[in-house]
Amino acid sequence: MSHDSTRPRLQLSLGGAALLGEERPSLGGRRVFAANCRESGSELLVTLHPLPPEGPTPLAVLGRASRLQALAHPRLNTPIAAGDLDGRAWVVEPAPTSPSVLLRLSDGGAFGVKEGVRVLREVTRAVASLHRTGLAHGALELETVQLAGGEVKVGGLANRTTAEASEDIAALGPLAWALFTGDLPDATHERLAQRRRGIPAGLDALVASLLSPDPSLRPPRAESVLAALDSFPASDPAPFSTFLDGAGRGARTPRGREAVLLAVLFGLSVLISGLVFGR
């Protein structure tokens, strides 16, 4: 059985930044460890990147971590520390302690219109703050957005060191579609309003533009997405409309919900007829 010398050397390199725990499965040649803060005991993640060129240079990781720490955005889980182990970059970041959007969709289905717009707005606001400093997320997806009570947190910032703002704009499309349908988009290019009722026309147009296969038809900047989101109604549809619009577990299509409603109404009419004429 071979001895893994990387782990103890990584622990020495980390110093007091984190105490390593179990290793977690990872892709791309990275090694990811659960960890704890020595002082507070808070849960952390330590990522050890592969050597360049497969992985980023330690200088790039250190520079990105420093810029993210200076940004200090309340919606971003920014790295806590970064360093170099024999030419391999490592980074320490807060571990996700709240359910991700992916888990929330799996458990509860599509979001209501108001809540979905709020989550999308908060994620976009965090992305816009990155772009204003010349940074980009580069790994924005359903698993990197966490929901902590009423707050939205965007993590996964240690996964990429080189990314373009256009990648984040493109990633907002699948995120938006999933929030309002409970599914990932497919190749049919179906419009959101066709999939679900209660969707404002502006939101339908925005999601269509974000999902456009032509980059020139997508919003040019995150601020453009924010401006569009700020124009949508701040209240949920009425309960009756919410039942029809597809929110909730299973994200039932409007036609499917209409069928359920008709069945309920038919059952009520039979019951009432029985009560009236059965006397």
mmCIF file of all heavy atoms in Angstrom, residues 81-123:
data_model
loop_
_atom_site.group_PDB
_atom_site.id
_atom_site.type_symbol
_atom_site.label_atom_id
_atom_site.label_comp_id
_atom_site.label_asym_id
_atom_site.label_seq_id
_atom_site.Cartn_x
_atom_site.Cartn_y
_atom_site.Cartn_z
ATOM 1 N N ALA A 81 -7.993 31.724 2.361
ATOM 2 C CA ALA A 81 -6.534 31.717 2.258
ATOM 3 C C ALA A 81 -6.142 30.961 0.992
ATOM 4 O O ALA A 81 -6.930 30.181 0.436
ATOM 5 C CB ALA A 81 -5.908 31.069 3.485
ATOM 6 N N ALA A 82 -4.932 31.191 0.537
ATOM 7 C CA ALA A 82 -4.403 30.489 -0.635
ATOM 8 C C ALA A 82 -2.895 30.368 -0.468
ATOM 9 O O ALA A 82 -2.272 31.125 0.295
ATOM 10 C CB ALA A 82 -4.748 31.234 -1.919
ATOM 11 N N GLY A 83 -2.302 29.388 -1.164
ATOM 12 C CA GLY A 83 -0.868 29.195 -1.031
ATOM 13 C C GLY A 83 -0.311 28.275 -2.091
ATOM 14 O O GLY A 83 -0.979 27.936 -3.074
ATOM 15 N N ASP A 84 0.938 27.839 -1.859
ATOM 16 C CA ASP A 84 1.706 27.085 -2.847
ATOM 17 C C ASP A 84 2.313 25.863 -2.166
ATOM 18 O O ASP A 84 2.953 25.973 -1.121
ATOM 19 C CB ASP A 84 2.793 28.004 -3.410
ATOM 20 C CG ASP A 84 3.706 27.315 -4.415
ATOM 21 O OD1 ASP A 84 3.560 26.098 -4.647
ATOM 22 O OD2 ASP A 84 4.573 27.999 -4.974
ATOM 23 N N LEU A 85 2.074 24.694 -2.757
ATOM 24 C CA LEU A 85 2.699 23.458 -2.289
ATOM 25 C C LEU A 85 3.459 22.843 -3.455
ATOM 26 O O LEU A 85 2.863 22.243 -4.353
ATOM 27 C CB LEU A 85 1.654 22.473 -1.757
ATOM 28 C CG LEU A 85 2.190 21.093 -1.352
ATOM 29 C CD1 LEU A 85 3.178 21.225 -0.182
ATOM 30 C CD2 LEU A 85 1.057 20.149 -0.985
ATOM 31 N N ASP A 86 4.764 23.033 -3.477
ATOM 32 C CA ASP A 86 5.614 22.458 -4.520
ATOM 33 C C ASP A 86 5.115 22.809 -5.922
ATOM 34 O O ASP A 86 5.076 21.955 -6.813
ATOM 35 C CB ASP A 86 5.702 20.935 -4.365
ATOM 36 C CG ASP A 86 6.242 20.517 -3.008
ATOM 37 O OD1 ASP A 86 7.047 21.282 -2.433
ATOM 38 O OD2 ASP A 86 5.844 19.448 -2.521
ATOM 39 N N GLY A 87 4.681 24.049 -6.107
ATOM 40 C CA GLY A 87 4.216 24.477 -7.421
ATOM 41 C C GLY A 87 2.744 24.225 -7.675
ATOM 42 O O GLY A 87 2.231 24.601 -8.734
ATOM 43 N N ARG A 88 2.070 23.589 -6.727
ATOM 44 C CA ARG A 88 0.628 23.355 -6.838
ATOM 45 C C ARG A 88 -0.112 24.353 -5.951
ATOM 46 O O ARG A 88 0.226 24.524 -4.782
ATOM 47 C CB ARG A 88 0.281 21.931 -6.422
ATOM 48 C CG ARG A 88 0.940 20.852 -7.263
ATOM 49 C CD ARG A 88 0.648 19.455 -6.724
ATOM 50 N NE ARG A 88 -0.777 19.112 -6.857
ATOM 51 C CZ ARG A 88 -1.287 17.945 -6.488
ATOM 52 N NH1 ARG A 88 -0.505 17.019 -5.942
ATOM 53 N NH2 ARG A 88 -2.570 17.698 -6.650
ATOM 54 N N ALA A 89 -1.114 24.997 -6.514
ATOM 55 C CA ALA A 89 -1.863 25.996 -5.759
ATOM 56 C C ALA A 89 -2.894 25.337 -4.869
ATOM 57 O O ALA A 89 -3.534 24.365 -5.256
ATOM 58 C CB ALA A 89 -2.556 26.957 -6.728
ATOM 59 N N TRP A 90 -3.028 25.862 -3.663
ATOM 60 C CA TRP A 90 -4.128 25.438 -2.803
ATOM 61 C C TRP A 90 -4.929 26.654 -2.367
ATOM 62 O O TRP A 90 -4.414 27.770 -2.326
ATOM 63 C CB TRP A 90 -3.649 24.639 -1.597
ATOM 64 C CG TRP A 90 -2.651 25.312 -0.679
ATOM 65 C CD1 TRP A 90 -1.300 25.091 -0.640
ATOM 66 C CD2 TRP A 90 -2.925 26.282 0.350
ATOM 67 N NE1 TRP A 90 -0.706 25.863 0.331
ATOM 68 C CE2 TRP A 90 -1.684 26.604 0.962
ATOM 69 C CE3 TRP A 90 -4.066 26.904 0.813
ATOM 70 C CZ2 TRP A 90 -1.564 27.525 2.007
ATOM 71 C CZ3 TRP A 90 -3.964 27.836 1.849
ATOM 72 C CH2 TRP A 90 -2.743 28.132 2.432
ATOM 73 N N VAL A 91 -6.199 26.417 -2.056
ATOM 74 C CA VAL A 91 -7.076 27.503 -1.635
ATOM 75 C C VAL A 91 -8.042 26.972 -0.588
ATOM 76 O O VAL A 91 -8.499 25.823 -0.663
ATOM 77 C CB VAL A 91 -7.833 28.113 -2.834
ATOM 78 C CG1 VAL A 91 -8.703 27.083 -3.518
ATOM 79 C CG2 VAL A 91 -8.669 29.317 -2.421
ATOM 80 N N VAL A 92 -8.314 27.790 0.424
ATOM 81 C CA VAL A 92 -9.251 27.456 1.494
ATOM 82 C C VAL A 92 -10.468 28.356 1.356
ATOM 83 O O VAL A 92 -10.330 29.577 1.213
ATOM 84 C CB VAL A 92 -8.607 27.659 2.884
ATOM 85 C CG1 VAL A 92 -9.594 27.271 3.983
ATOM 86 C CG2 VAL A 92 -7.325 26.868 3.007
ATOM 87 N N GLU A 93 -11.649 27.751 1.391
ATOM 88 C CA GLU A 93 -12.885 28.519 1.267
ATOM 89 C C GLU A 93 -13.927 27.967 2.238
ATOM 90 O O GLU A 93 -13.818 26.827 2.693
ATOM 91 C CB GLU A 93 -13.418 28.460 -0.169
ATOM 92 C CG GLU A 93 -13.726 27.061 -0.642
ATOM 93 C CD GLU A 93 -14.155 27.011 -2.097
ATOM 94 O OE1 GLU A 93 -14.737 27.996 -2.584
ATOM 95 O OE2 GLU A 93 -13.921 25.978 -2.747
ATOM 96 N N PRO A 94 -14.959 28.767 2.560
ATOM 97 C CA PRO A 94 -16.016 28.253 3.434
ATOM 98 C C PRO A 94 -16.736 27.080 2.782
ATOM 99 O O PRO A 94 -17.010 27.093 1.581
ATOM 100 C CB PRO A 94 -16.959 29.453 3.587
ATOM 101 C CG PRO A 94 -16.138 30.640 3.226
ATOM 102 C CD PRO A 94 -15.161 30.175 2.198
ATOM 103 N N ALA A 95 -17.036 26.068 3.564
ATOM 104 C CA ALA A 95 -17.803 24.930 3.055
ATOM 105 C C ALA A 95 -19.277 25.325 2.968
ATOM 106 O O ALA A 95 -19.774 26.070 3.815
ATOM 107 C CB ALA A 95 -17.645 23.720 3.960
ATOM 108 N N PRO A 96 -19.968 24.842 1.939
ATOM 109 C CA PRO A 96 -21.407 25.122 1.874
ATOM 110 C C PRO A 96 -22.132 24.425 3.022
ATOM 111 O O PRO A 96 -22.048 23.212 3.170
ATOM 112 C CB PRO A 96 -21.826 24.552 0.518
ATOM 113 C CG PRO A 96 -20.768 23.555 0.165
ATOM 114 C CD PRO A 96 -19.511 24.053 0.800
ATOM 115 N N THR A 97 -22.820 25.204 3.837
ATOM 116 C CA THR A 97 -23.530 24.650 4.987
ATOM 117 C C THR A 97 -25.044 24.758 4.823
ATOM 118 O O THR A 97 -25.786 24.388 5.731
ATOM 119 C CB THR A 97 -23.113 25.377 6.278
ATOM 120 O OG1 THR A 97 -23.341 26.791 6.123
ATOM 121 C CG2 THR A 97 -21.640 25.137 6.577
ATOM 122 N N SER A 98 -25.486 25.275 3.680
ATOM 123 C CA SER A 98 -26.915 25.434 3.413
ATOM 124 C C SER A 98 -27.268 24.670 2.150
ATOM 125 O O SER A 98 -26.396 24.378 1.315
ATOM 126 C CB SER A 98 -27.264 26.917 3.244
ATOM 127 O OG SER A 98 -26.876 27.660 4.376
ATOM 128 N N PRO A 99 -28.558 24.335 1.964
ATOM 129 C CA PRO A 99 -28.963 23.607 0.759
ATOM 130 C C PRO A 99 -28.669 24.411 -0.509
ATOM 131 O O PRO A 99 -28.816 25.636 -0.530
ATOM 132 C CB PRO A 99 -30.474 23.414 0.947
ATOM 133 C CG PRO A 99 -30.711 23.603 2.407
ATOM 134 C CD PRO A 99 -29.692 24.571 2.877
ATOM 135 N N SER A 100 -28.249 23.713 -1.543
ATOM 136 C CA SER A 100 -28.036 24.367 -2.826
ATOM 137 C C SER A 100 -29.371 24.502 -3.559
ATOM 138 O O SER A 100 -30.372 23.876 -3.197
ATOM 139 C CB SER A 100 -27.062 23.548 -3.675
ATOM 140 O OG SER A 100 -27.654 22.301 -4.029
ATOM 141 N N VAL A 101 -29.369 25.315 -4.606
ATOM 142 C CA VAL A 101 -30.562 25.435 -5.443
ATOM 143 C C VAL A 101 -30.923 24.073 -6.032
ATOM 144 O O VAL A 101 -32.104 23.733 -6.144
ATOM 145 C CB VAL A 101 -30.334 26.473 -6.562
ATOM 146 C CG1 VAL A 101 -31.415 26.369 -7.636
ATOM 147 C CG2 VAL A 101 -30.327 27.883 -5.985
ATOM 148 N N LEU A 102 -29.908 23.286 -6.375
ATOM 149 C CA LEU A 102 -30.174 21.956 -6.928
ATOM 150 C C LEU A 102 -30.957 21.105 -5.945
ATOM 151 O O LEU A 102 -31.952 20.455 -6.314
ATOM 152 C CB LEU A 102 -28.855 21.271 -7.282
ATOM 153 C CG LEU A 102 -28.976 19.866 -7.888
ATOM 154 C CD1 LEU A 102 -29.709 19.906 -9.214
ATOM 155 C CD2 LEU A 102 -27.594 19.235 -8.054
ATOM 156 N N LEU A 103 -30.559 21.112 -4.672
ATOM 157 C CA LEU A 103 -31.262 20.324 -3.656
ATOM 158 C C LEU A 103 -32.659 20.877 -3.422
ATOM 159 O O LEU A 103 -33.627 20.121 -3.269
ATOM 160 C CB LEU A 103 -30.469 20.320 -2.357
ATOM 161 C CG LEU A 103 -31.052 19.490 -1.210
ATOM 162 C CD1 LEU A 103 -31.189 18.028 -1.621
ATOM 163 C CD2 LEU A 103 -30.176 19.613 0.029
ATOM 164 N N ARG A 104 -32.780 22.193 -3.391
ATOM 165 C CA ARG A 104 -34.097 22.814 -3.188
ATOM 166 C C ARG A 104 -35.054 22.446 -4.310
ATOM 167 O O ARG A 104 -36.236 22.144 -4.081
ATOM 168 C CB ARG A 104 -33.922 24.331 -3.097
ATOM 169 C CG ARG A 104 -35.150 25.179 -3.339
ATOM 170 C CD ARG A 104 -36.287 24.929 -2.346
ATOM 171 N NE ARG A 104 -37.398 25.800 -2.624
ATOM 172 C CZ ARG A 104 -38.295 25.622 -3.598
ATOM 173 N NH1 ARG A 104 -38.192 24.557 -4.396
ATOM 174 N NH2 ARG A 104 -39.274 26.463 -3.777
ATOM 175 N N LEU A 105 -34.591 22.441 -5.555
ATOM 176 C CA LEU A 105 -35.429 22.057 -6.681
ATOM 177 C C LEU A 105 -35.804 20.582 -6.609
ATOM 178 O O LEU A 105 -36.926 20.202 -6.933
ATOM 179 C CB LEU A 105 -34.706 22.346 -8.002
ATOM 180 C CG LEU A 105 -34.519 23.818 -8.363
ATOM 181 C CD1 LEU A 105 -33.569 23.949 -9.549
ATOM 182 C CD2 LEU A 105 -35.845 24.483 -8.672
ATOM 183 N N SER A 106 -34.872 19.752 -6.171
ATOM 184 C CA SER A 106 -35.137 18.326 -6.059
ATOM 185 C C SER A 106 -36.196 18.044 -5.000
ATOM 186 O O SER A 106 -37.058 17.180 -5.184
ATOM 187 C CB SER A 106 -33.839 17.579 -5.715
ATOM 188 O OG SER A 106 -34.070 16.211 -5.511
ATOM 189 N N ASP A 107 -36.155 18.806 -3.904
ATOM 190 C CA ASP A 107 -37.097 18.574 -2.809
ATOM 191 C C ASP A 107 -38.436 19.272 -3.020
ATOM 192 O O ASP A 107 -39.486 18.717 -2.668
ATOM 193 C CB ASP A 107 -36.489 19.070 -1.490
ATOM 194 C CG ASP A 107 -35.364 18.172 -1.002
ATOM 195 O OD1 ASP A 107 -35.263 17.040 -1.506
ATOM 196 O OD2 ASP A 107 -34.597 18.614 -0.136
ATOM 197 N N GLY A 108 -38.415 20.483 -3.568
ATOM 198 C CA GLY A 108 -39.634 21.287 -3.615
ATOM 199 C C GLY A 108 -40.120 21.690 -4.980
ATOM 200 O O GLY A 108 -41.161 22.338 -5.097
ATOM 201 N N GLY A 109 -39.407 21.349 -6.037
ATOM 202 C CA GLY A 109 -39.838 21.738 -7.372
ATOM 203 C C GLY A 109 -39.569 23.199 -7.663
ATOM 204 O O GLY A 109 -38.808 23.872 -6.963
ATOM 205 N N ALA A 110 -40.208 23.695 -8.711
ATOM 206 C CA ALA A 110 -39.960 25.043 -9.198
ATOM 207 C C ALA A 110 -40.301 26.100 -8.150
ATOM 208 O O ALA A 110 -41.187 25.916 -7.317
ATOM 209 C CB ALA A 110 -40.780 25.286 -10.466
ATOM 210 N N PHE A 111 -39.597 27.216 -8.207
ATOM 211 C CA PHE A 111 -39.832 28.329 -7.307
ATOM 212 C C PHE A 111 -41.071 29.108 -7.739
ATOM 213 O O PHE A 111 -41.435 29.129 -8.917
ATOM 214 C CB PHE A 111 -38.635 29.288 -7.323
ATOM 215 C CG PHE A 111 -37.434 28.787 -6.580
ATOM 216 C CD1 PHE A 111 -36.761 27.641 -6.988
ATOM 217 C CD2 PHE A 111 -36.939 29.471 -5.484
ATOM 218 C CE1 PHE A 111 -35.639 27.192 -6.321
ATOM 219 C CE2 PHE A 111 -35.818 29.030 -4.799
ATOM 220 C CZ PHE A 111 -35.172 27.881 -5.217
ATOM 221 N N GLY A 112 -41.695 29.790 -6.773
ATOM 222 C CA GLY A 112 -42.707 30.762 -7.123
ATOM 223 C C GLY A 112 -42.073 31.914 -7.881
ATOM 224 O O GLY A 112 -40.858 32.126 -7.805
ATOM 225 N N VAL A 113 -42.866 32.679 -8.611
ATOM 226 C CA VAL A 113 -42.320 33.751 -9.445
ATOM 227 C C VAL A 113 -41.540 34.755 -8.604
ATOM 228 O O VAL A 113 -40.397 35.109 -8.935
ATOM 229 C CB VAL A 113 -43.439 34.451 -10.233
ATOM 230 C CG1 VAL A 113 -42.899 35.666 -10.978
ATOM 231 C CG2 VAL A 113 -44.082 33.487 -11.222
ATOM 232 N N LYS A 114 -42.131 35.223 -7.520
ATOM 233 C CA LYS A 114 -41.469 36.227 -6.694
ATOM 234 C C LYS A 114 -40.150 35.701 -6.137
ATOM 235 O O LYS A 114 -39.118 36.379 -6.202
ATOM 236 C CB LYS A 114 -42.388 36.641 -5.547
ATOM 237 C CG LYS A 114 -41.747 37.635 -4.587
ATOM 238 C CD LYS A 114 -42.681 37.939 -3.424
ATOM 239 C CE LYS A 114 -42.017 38.857 -2.409
ATOM 240 N NZ LYS A 114 -42.898 39.141 -1.261
ATOM 241 N N GLU A 115 -40.163 34.490 -5.567
ATOM 242 C CA GLU A 115 -38.964 33.925 -4.968
ATOM 243 C C GLU A 115 -37.905 33.631 -6.023
ATOM 244 O O GLU A 115 -36.715 33.875 -5.811
ATOM 245 C CB GLU A 115 -39.308 32.652 -4.194
ATOM 246 C CG GLU A 115 -38.143 31.994 -3.475
ATOM 247 C CD GLU A 115 -37.591 32.836 -2.328
ATOM 248 O OE1 GLU A 115 -38.158 33.907 -2.034
ATOM 249 O OE2 GLU A 115 -36.590 32.409 -1.736
ATOM 250 N N GLY A 116 -38.321 33.110 -7.170
ATOM 251 C CA GLY A 116 -37.372 32.833 -8.236
ATOM 252 C C GLY A 116 -36.688 34.094 -8.739
ATOM 253 O O GLY A 116 -35.472 34.114 -8.972
ATOM 254 N N VAL A 117 -37.470 35.163 -8.913
ATOM 255 C CA VAL A 117 -36.892 36.442 -9.346
ATOM 256 C C VAL A 117 -35.916 36.957 -8.295
ATOM 257 O O VAL A 117 -34.840 37.475 -8.621
ATOM 258 C CB VAL A 117 -38.002 37.473 -9.639
ATOM 259 C CG1 VAL A 117 -37.413 38.871 -9.787
ATOM 260 C CG2 VAL A 117 -38.766 37.088 -10.893
ATOM 261 N N ARG A 118 -36.276 36.816 -7.011
ATOM 262 C CA ARG A 118 -35.398 37.299 -5.942
ATOM 263 C C ARG A 118 -34.066 36.554 -5.936
ATOM 264 O O ARG A 118 -32.994 37.170 -5.836
ATOM 265 C CB ARG A 118 -36.085 37.130 -4.586
ATOM 266 C CG ARG A 118 -35.306 37.754 -3.424
ATOM 267 C CD ARG A 118 -35.951 37.440 -2.095
ATOM 268 N NE ARG A 118 -35.778 36.041 -1.725
ATOM 269 C CZ ARG A 118 -34.670 35.558 -1.143
ATOM 270 N NH1 ARG A 118 -33.645 36.350 -0.903
ATOM 271 N NH2 ARG A 118 -34.598 34.281 -0.825
ATOM 272 N N VAL A 119 -34.121 35.231 -6.060
ATOM 273 C CA VAL A 119 -32.886 34.444 -6.077
ATOM 274 C C VAL A 119 -32.044 34.804 -7.293
ATOM 275 O O VAL A 119 -30.825 35.024 -7.180
ATOM 276 C CB VAL A 119 -33.204 32.938 -6.061
ATOM 277 C CG1 VAL A 119 -31.935 32.111 -6.294
ATOM 278 C CG2 VAL A 119 -33.858 32.538 -4.752
ATOM 279 N N LEU A 120 -32.672 34.896 -8.450
ATOM 280 C CA LEU A 120 -31.941 35.230 -9.667
ATOM 281 C C LEU A 120 -31.332 36.624 -9.559
ATOM 282 O O LEU A 120 -30.201 36.854 -10.004
ATOM 283 C CB LEU A 120 -32.877 35.144 -10.873
ATOM 284 C CG LEU A 120 -32.243 35.345 -12.251
ATOM 285 C CD1 LEU A 120 -31.151 34.305 -12.502
ATOM 286 C CD2 LEU A 120 -33.305 35.269 -13.343
ATOM 287 N N ARG A 121 -32.067 37.560 -8.965
ATOM 288 C CA ARG A 121 -31.551 38.919 -8.803
ATOM 289 C C ARG A 121 -30.327 38.936 -7.891
ATOM 290 O O ARG A 121 -29.328 39.608 -8.178
ATOM 291 C CB ARG A 121 -32.639 39.829 -8.241
ATOM 292 C CG ARG A 121 -32.197 41.290 -8.103
ATOM 293 C CD ARG A 121 -33.248 42.138 -7.423
ATOM 294 N NE ARG A 121 -34.394 42.354 -8.291
ATOM 295 C CZ ARG A 121 -35.622 41.921 -8.037
ATOM 296 N NH1 ARG A 121 -35.857 41.225 -6.928
ATOM 297 N NH2 ARG A 121 -36.607 42.167 -8.863
ATOM 298 N N GLU A 122 -30.385 38.202 -6.774
ATOM 299 C CA GLU A 122 -29.259 38.193 -5.838
ATOM 300 C C GLU A 122 -28.020 37.561 -6.462
ATOM 301 O O GLU A 122 -26.897 38.028 -6.253
ATOM 302 C CB GLU A 122 -29.648 37.456 -4.548
ATOM 303 C CG GLU A 122 -30.696 38.157 -3.711
ATOM 304 C CD GLU A 122 -30.258 39.526 -3.251
ATOM 305 O OE1 GLU A 122 -29.064 39.698 -2.949
ATOM 306 O OE2 GLU A 122 -31.098 40.445 -3.205
ATOM 307 N N VAL A 123 -28.211 36.477 -7.201
ATOM 308 C CA VAL A 123 -27.078 35.846 -7.880
ATOM 309 C C VAL A 123 -26.489 36.805 -8.909
ATOM 310 O O VAL A 123 -25.262 36.969 -9.001
ATOM 311 C CB VAL A 123 -27.507 34.531 -8.567
ATOM 312 C CG1 VAL A 123 -26.371 33.973 -9.423
ATOM 313 C CG2 VAL A 123 -27.929 33.499 -7.530
#
